[in-house]
């Protein structure tokens, strides 16, 4: 078959081949071409970006996993299914010649290029070299006569002159250069402990992809690439067919085919498309279930396939889906055929990083420091739903977690000298119905495994229909299993770590003050989101963006510890903050978090008519009242969008001190800067709390870019940079007011660590990172807002890293009972108990909250 194709490879990992390959795929797709993507090596994450770029699944081409004889047929399958492609773009793995250790490059990019006779384009990072790159390219182009290196892309050029020098050198050894790409931070795809962050989890994945495609169109000679792809010889193979692999004729699935539920969503993104195709060709219907969002298994579910992903990142969201957790546990206990690979095994464990999971396996899982990575040959140790004892497969491991114990009494596989995984028969059927392990297998290489699994699924369905094991004949297996719960724990309150508790939990004993959030606070003005948090709850009450500071900031703080014997000197921090905003040193004052600024204001000023515009952060009013100042409240109205309307401005009247937030906590409203500036006038101090403005793209509507006469702006660094314990903030504005407040600040109130945070986060690199974070937060916030609106929940502003939502009376406590901590709204003047503030989190966590909130609201209206 004729198939234009190229393979994108590199001298080593880290040269940018994923970014360039995805850019080529996206750019060609923009031209209207149908692009078939493929990936060399046992990878799940890169194919997610391939699918996003091309709109069709990426095929994994790995001779170790599927056998040399299936590599070309799988490439042909991808190029012909579901429709014929115009061109195939293959992404390599590691370095061009790097494959399985000890095998002279078996399963390397070069091996796959030779098996498929695919021309190779090299991507080379030239950020630390120029002419020397020619030697690298020359060597790779000549080392193997079976390889045809048809072009080179030079990546990460520092300047046009730098790129031109490298281009001349490479072209001098006879290899054409198809493009020189500049360094571009926006081309960067963020990483996680196992590699790139999956496309399904990246809020800005589509926007980043669009940018990468634009860069590829601008800097790459795509016409030359397509010409080289067209030069590839015909592919001498027949496309792989799942039915033929099973020895069957293709046939449509009957309407009553048993269902295999396959874990999906953002937490379970790792599976090969051939797995689904084989299961369906074997006679079962595949239905995806999202363990973070779906509360029941699909109707007629008679088998479970729980693949890989990142449940450790979203453990709390998964653990709080108690209805599905209970249903899966009951299904596994009833003998439903279940295969769990890596992440799926963690999900079935008793706990994952101390978060309760399903509990079907006698093991606990936790993150470790060491990456386990490599090809494996596995031999099954017992009869199971995957085949008889002695079944041999090839696969790979790729994880940083460990389980205790690492294997069950009856292990799933013998991997060399060790046993691994669990093969359990909870319903005493005579063979293991649950096979769980770290081993990832590609079922296209071992279609008998798929056939055996679906046969077991069919047997289970027949038993369910006959009413075996207590399953009612009139019900599908899933519906019956829903009702099978542990009477000792059904409806029981959850104890520490979310485990069932035999006694009711004691309120008010948490060190975080979590219990107090259910009662009226002694002083509502002093109630804050940290009082809502408890260890067993998913935290959507505190607005700190990250769980820990970025690595570069944490390293700087560790370095600063060596100098803490000296008294802190704020000079460098003041200069850094002033330069960051284009101000003079005397216009900036570092403070111990933003909260200290409010105390200094209350001590330094003697207002006769102090107005605090509510609803807003309550610390300014609390500080003023503690200093025995009278405070007048101006309440903005929900029906007016909590906006500073003309009537609200008139109500402020002749106040000589006005305090307002922007964006306002908790409403999330971003007031126009010109409206705020209209509040500044002679004889009045205007204080604007901009604690969250760095979460607004481009810090829109900040007052620090104009006239600051009579104006003070308060900033906090603790939310964006996850350093709430360090207490880093500052105020800026009118130098006379800054000096007046500084006169009331105790010596050394701002410690060395906080000052270091100020200098480090004022750098261009940090500001660029904050800008990217703000853009991502905006995408995540839109996901939360769309979900709330779909549930019919009214919301307020849309410009902060949190959302104010009117969910109804009692929902705050009900969410808490379901494992979710959100900030109660009734301690904010102007709000009542129907309001809650929800911190913006990643879409998977948000989906879990929306799932639970949807149930609560449905029960109220049912």
């Amino acid at each position: 078959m004729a198939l234009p194709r190229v393979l994108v490879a590199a001298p080593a990992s880290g040269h940018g081949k994923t970014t360039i390959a995805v850019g080529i795929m996206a750019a060609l797709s923009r031209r209207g071409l149908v692009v078939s993507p493929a990936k060399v090596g046992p990878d799940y994450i890169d194919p997610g970006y391939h699918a996003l770029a091309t709109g069709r699944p990426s095929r994994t081409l790995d001779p170790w996993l599927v056998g040399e004889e299936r590599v070309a047929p799988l490439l042909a399958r991808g190029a012909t299914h579901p429709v014929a492609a115009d061109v195939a773009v293959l992404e390599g793995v590691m370095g061009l010649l790097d494959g399985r250790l000890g095998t002279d490059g078996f399963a390397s990019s070069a091996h796959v290029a030779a098996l498929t006779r695919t021309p190779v384009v090299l991507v080379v990072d030239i950020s630390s070299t120029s002419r020397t790159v020619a030697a690298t390219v020359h060597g790779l182009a000549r080392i193997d006569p079976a390889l045809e290196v048809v072009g080179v892309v030079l990546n990460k050029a520092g300047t046009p002159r730098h790129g031109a020098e490298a281009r001349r050198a490479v072209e001098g050894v006879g290899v054409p250069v198809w493009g020189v790409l500049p360094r571009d931070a926006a081309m960067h795809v963020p990483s996680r402990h196992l590699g790139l962050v999956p496309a399904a989890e990246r809020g800005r994945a589509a926007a980043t992809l669009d940018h990468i495609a634009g860069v590829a169109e601008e800097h790459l000679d795509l016409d030359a690439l397509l010409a080289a792809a067209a030069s590839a010889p015909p592919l001498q193979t027949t496309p792989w067919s799942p039915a033929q692999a099973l020895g069957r004729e293709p046939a449509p699935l009957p309407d009553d085919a048993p269902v295999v539920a396959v874990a999906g969503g953002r937490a379970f993104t790792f599976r090969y498309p051939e797995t689904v195709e084989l299961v369906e060709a074997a006679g079962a219907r595949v239905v995806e279930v999202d363990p973070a969002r779906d509360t029941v298994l699909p109707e007629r579910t008679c088998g479970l396939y729980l693949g890989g992903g990142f449940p450790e990142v979203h453990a709390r969201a998964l653990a709080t889906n108690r209805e599905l957790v209970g249903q899966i546990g009951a299904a596994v206990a009833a003998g439903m055929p279940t295969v769990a690979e890596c992440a799926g095994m963690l999900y079935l464990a008793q706990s994952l990083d101390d978060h309760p999971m399903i509990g079907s396996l006698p093991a606990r899982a936790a993150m470790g420091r060491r990456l386990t990575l490599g090809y494996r040959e596995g031999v099954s140790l017992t009869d199971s739903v995957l085949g008889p004892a002695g079944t041999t497969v090839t696969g790979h491991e790729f994880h940083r977690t460990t389980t205790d114990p690492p294997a069950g009494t009856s292990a799933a596989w013998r991997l060399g000298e060790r046993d691994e995984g669990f093969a359990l028969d909870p319903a005493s059927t005579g063979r293991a119905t649950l096979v769980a392990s770290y081993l990832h297998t590609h079922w296209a290489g071992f279609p008998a495994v798929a056939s055996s699994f679906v046969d077991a699924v069919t047997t289970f369905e027949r038993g369910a229909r006959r009413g075996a094991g207590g399953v009612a004949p009139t019900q599908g297996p899933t519906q019956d299993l829903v009702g099978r719960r542990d009477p000792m724990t059904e409806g029981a309150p959850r104890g520490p770590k979310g485990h069932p508790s035999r006694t009711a939990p004691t309120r008010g004993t948490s060190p975080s003050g979590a219990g107090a959030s259910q009662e009226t606070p002694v002083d509502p003005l002093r109630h804050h989101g940290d009082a809502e948090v408890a260890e067993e709850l998913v935290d959507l009450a505190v607005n700190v963006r990250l769980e820990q500071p970025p690595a570069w900031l944490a390293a700087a703080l560790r370095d600063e510890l060596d100098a803490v014997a000296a008294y802190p000197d704020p000079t460098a921090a003041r200069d850094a903050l002033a330069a960051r905003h284009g101000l003079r040193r005397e216009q900036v004052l570092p403070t111990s978090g933003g909260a200290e600024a409010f105390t200094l204001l209350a001590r330094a000023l003697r207002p006769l008519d102090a107005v605090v515009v509510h609803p807003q952060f309550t610390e300014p009013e609390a500080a003023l009242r503690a200093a025995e100042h009278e405070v007048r409240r101006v309440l903005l109205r929900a029906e007016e969008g909590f906006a500073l309307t003309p009537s609200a401005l008139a109500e402020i009247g002749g106040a000589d001190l006005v305090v307002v937030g922007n964006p306002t906590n908790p409403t999330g409203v971003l007031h126009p800067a010109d409206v705020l500036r209209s509040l500044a006038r002679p004889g009045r101090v205007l204080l604007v709390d901009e604690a969250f403005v760095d979460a607004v793209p481009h810090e829109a509507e900040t007052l620090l870019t104009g006239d600051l006469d009579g104006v003070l702006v308060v900033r906090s660094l603790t939310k964006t940079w996850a350093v709430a314990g360090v207490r880093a903030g500052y105020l800026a504005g009118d130098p006379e007011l800054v000096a007046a407040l500084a006169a009331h600040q105790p010596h050394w109130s701002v410690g060395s660590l906080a000052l270091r945070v100020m200098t480090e986060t004022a750098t261009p690199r940090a500001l660029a990172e904050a800008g990217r974070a703000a853009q991502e937060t905006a995408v995540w916030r839109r996901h939360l807002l769309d979900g709330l609106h779909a549930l019919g929940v009214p919301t307020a502003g849309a410009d902060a890293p949190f959302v104010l939502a009117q969910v109804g009376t009692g929902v705050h406590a009900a969410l808490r009972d379901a494992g979710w901590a959100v900030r109660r709204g009734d301690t904010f003047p102007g709000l009542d108990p129907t309001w809650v503030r929800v911190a913006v989190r990643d879409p998977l966590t948000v989906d879990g909250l929306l799932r639970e909130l949807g149930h609560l609201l449905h029960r109220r209206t049912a």
Side-chain angles (χ1 to χ4, degrees):
M1 59 177 289
L3 177 63
R5 59 194 183 276
V6 293
L7 188 150
V8 180
S13 297
H15 281 246
K17 64 178 175 292
T18 297
T19 302
I20 303 303
V22 170
I24 291 170
M25 294 174 190
L28 295 179
S29 296
R30 275 186 174 188
R31 289 190 172 190
L33 298 176
V34 178
V35 181
S36 174
K39 171 66 182 176
V40 179
D43 196 309
Y44 298 102
I45 298 176
D46 294 352
Y49 287 90
H50 297 178
L52 194 63
T54 65
R56 56 199 284 151
S58 182
R59 301 288 167 165
T60 293
L61 310 177
D62 191 309
W64 171 256
L65 294 180
V66 302
E68 291 179 287
E69 71 280 8
R70 293 187 182 89
V71 169
L74 285 170
L75 174 61
R77 168 74 172 183
T80 56
H81 182 80
V83 296
D86 298 308
V87 61
V89 178
L90 291 63
E91 181 194 340
V93 61
M94 299 186 294
L96 175 62
L97 306 173
D98 301 329
R100 188 178 181 226
L101 294 177
T103 62
D104 297 326
F106 189 90
S108 66
S109 300
H111 187 194
V112 170
L115 288 172
T116 60
R117 302 178 68 192
T118 299
V120 175
V121 54
L122 290 174
V123 175
V124 186
D125 179 353
I126 62 169
S127 58
S128 300
T129 185
S130 58
R131 293 188 56 79
T132 304
V133 70
T136 300
V137 171
H138 180 73
L140 291 174
R142 301 290 184 267
I143 193 169
D144 187 346
L147 293 179
E148 183 185 10
V149 176
V150 293
V152 175
V153 174
L154 303 177
N155 195 23
K156 301 181 184 178
T159 64
R161 183 180 179 187
H162 173 211
E165 181 78 1
R167 176 192 284 270
R168 284 194 300 271
V170 172
E171 290 176 341
V173 298
V175 182
V177 175
W178 289 347
V180 179
L181 275 70
R183 291 193 185 100
D184 185 350
M187 295 270 284
H188 173 67
V189 178
S191 296
R192 167 174 303 155
H193 53 271
L194 295 183
L196 302 181
V197 174
E201 289 189 54
R202 289 205 59 216
R204 298 193 68 243
T208 300
L209 180 66
D210 189 61
H211 176 75
I212 292 173
V215 171
E217 289 177 329
E218 180 181 356
H219 294 282
L220 299 185
D221 188 344
L222 296 176
D223 291 330
L225 184 144
L226 286 171
S231 72
L235 201 59
Q236 302 293 334
T237 191
T238 300
W240 178 84
S241 162
Q244 291 176 7
L246 295 169
R248 308 183 184 194
E249 290 297 321
L253 281 171
D255 292 339
D256 62 348
V259 168
V260 172
V262 173
R266 292 181 174 90
F268 293 89
T269 56
F270 296 4
R271 68 172 179 270
Y272 298 117
E274 293 82 3
T275 298
V276 170
E277 293 169 353
L278 282 165
V279 168
E280 294 198 327
R285 189 179 309 281
V286 171
V287 179
E288 184 172 295
V289 59
D290 184 345
R293 301 188 65 176
D294 297 327
T295 58
V296 294
L297 289 169
E299 187 175 355
R300 298 185 56 78
T301 293
C302 296
L304 293 170
Y305 179 86
L306 308 172
F310 290 101
E312 63 271 24
V313 178
H314 308 291
R316 287 188 172 180
L318 296 172
T320 56
N321 194 357
R322 295 170 183 166
E323 187 171 352
L324 183 65
V325 164
Q327 188 178 137
I328 290 178
V332 172
M336 181 179 287
T338 301
V339 176
E341 292 188 346
C342 200
M345 178 174 67
L346 305 182
Y347 185 47
L348 292 177
Q350 292 175 340
S351 63
L352 173 55
D353 286 336
D354 289 332
H355 301 300
M357 292 287 108
I358 288 175
S360 298
L361 298 176
R364 297 182 182 274
M367 280 294 296
R369 295 183 178 180
R370 186 173 67 89
L371 174 64
T372 299
L373 172 66
Y375 286 124
R376 305 285 186 262
E377 183 175 65
V379 179
S380 65
L381 297 175
T382 184
D383 294 344
S384 77
V385 293
L386 295 182
T391 297
T392 300
V393 299
T394 55
H396 68 99
E397 285 188 274
F398 186 41
H399 56 92
R400 285 193 186 275
T401 58
T402 60
T403 63
D404 182 19
T409 304
S410 179
W413 305 102
R414 169 66 55 83
L415 304 180
E417 299 299 319
R418 65 184 173 91
D419 293 347
E420 198 278 323
F422 303 81
L424 306 179
D425 183 14
S428 300
T429 65
R431 64 173 174 174
T433 56
L434 167 59
V435 180
S437 78
Y438 276 121
L439 189 67
H440 291 285
T441 57
H442 196 310
W443 286 10
F446 306 92
V449 168
S451 182
S452 178
F453 176 66
V454 175
D455 286 347
V457 168
T458 303
T459 299
F460 181 81
E461 183 205 28
R462 290 170 183 164
R465 285 180 175 177
R466 291 194 303 268
V471 180
T474 57
Q475 295 178 312
T478 298
Q479 285 84 344
D480 179 75
L481 291 172
V482 169
R484 297 176 63 178
R485 304 291 182 88
D486 179 359
M488 293 294 293
T489 60
E490 176 68 17
R494 311 301 283 189
K497 307 291 187 185
H499 294 295
S501 173
R502 300 303 184 187
T503 59
T506 302
R507 296 289 188 184
T509 59
S510 169
S512 66
S517 68
Q518 299 303 294
E519 303 169 357
T520 302
V522 175
D523 182 359
L525 295 180
R526 296 293 191 182
H527 181 84
H528 299 297
D530 60 332
E532 308 273 1
V533 179
E535 188 176 6
E536 68 270 18
L537 302 178
V538 182
D539 176 15
L540 291 143
V542 174
N543 293 311
V544 176
R545 180 174 68 94
L546 304 169
E547 292 188 357
Q548 58 188 12
W552 55 267
L553 182 55
L557 292 175
R558 286 192 295 269
D559 175 70
E560 188 64 32
L561 288 174
D562 292 336
V564 294
Y567 285 98
D569 181 356
T571 303
R574 291 188 80 169
D575 289 343
L577 294 170
R580 179 238 196 277
H581 294 293
L583 302 175
R584 304 188 305 276
R585 179 193 293 177
E586 58 268 26
Q587 289 182 282
V588 177
L589 180 67
T591 58
S592 179
E596 188 192 22
F598 307 131
T599 299
L600 297 178
L601 178 84
R603 291 175 179 174
L605 301 186
R606 292 292 179 265
L608 298 176
D609 184 11
V611 165
V612 178
V613 179
H614 283 293
Q616 79 146 14
F617 187 49
T618 54
E619 274 301 312
E621 180 173 330
L624 287 167
R625 292 189 181 278
E628 299 184 348
H629 299 300
E630 294 292 331
V631 176
R632 181 162 60 91
R633 295 174 176 176
V634 171
L635 301 179
L636 305 183
R637 299 162 60 86
E639 55 269 30
E640 296 174 338
F642 297 107
L644 278 166
T645 61
S647 60
L649 295 173
E651 191 176 348
I652 291 172
D656 54 355
L657 171 63
V658 177
V659 181
V660 62
N662 204 41
T664 303
N665 174 13
T667 65
V669 171
L670 186 66
H671 303 293
D674 57 352
V675 173
L676 294 176
R677 290 192 190 285
S678 72
L679 291 171
R681 61 186 61 177
R684 170 185 289 172
V685 174
L686 172 63
L687 184 141
V688 182
D689 179 5
E690 292 188 357
F692 294 100
V693 81
D694 57 354
V696 177
H698 312 296
E699 297 192 354
E701 311 302 339
T702 178
L703 289 196
L704 286 179
T705 58
D707 183 10
L708 293 174
D709 286 348
V711 174
L712 288 172
V713 173
V714 176
R715 289 286 188 98
S716 172
L717 299 171
T718 61
K719 282 78 173 175
T720 289
W721 301 113
V723 287
V726 174
R727 310 308 305 140
Y730 58 97
L731 60 86
D734 187 315
E736 292 186 7
L737 291 173
V738 170
L741 270 64
H744 288 266
Q745 187 177 41
H747 283 299
W748 315 299
S749 70
V750 183
S752 300
L753 295 179
L755 294 172
R756 184 67 176 267
V757 169
M758 295 172 200
T759 58
E760 294 291 335
T761 59
T763 64
R765 180 184 72 168
L767 295 177
E769 183 173 326
R772 292 192 296 270
Q775 295 287 351
E776 184 168 64
T777 296
V779 175
W780 290 2
R781 179 176 55 243
R782 176 45 53 192
H783 182 76
L784 172 58
L785 285 168
D786 288 347
L788 291 170
H789 295 163
L791 294 174
V793 175
T795 61
D799 290 287
F802 49 81
V803 169
L804 184 66
Q806 193 169 31
V807 294
T809 304
V811 172
H812 169 268
L815 283 172
R816 187 178 186 80
D817 289 340
W820 297 86
V822 295
R823 170 68 159 89
R824 62 191 294 173
D826 59 340
T827 63
F828 292 101
L831 298 181
D832 60 36
T834 64
W835 293 92
V836 296
R837 189 192 68 195
V838 183
V840 171
R841 296 287 190 260
D842 65 275
L844 186 103
T845 302
V846 166
D847 287 346
L849 173 75
L850 295 172
R851 172 203 74 219
E852 207 64 52
L853 182 59
H855 295 327
L856 293 173
L857 298 178
H858 175 73
R859 292 190 197 110
R860 285 169 173 258
T861 58

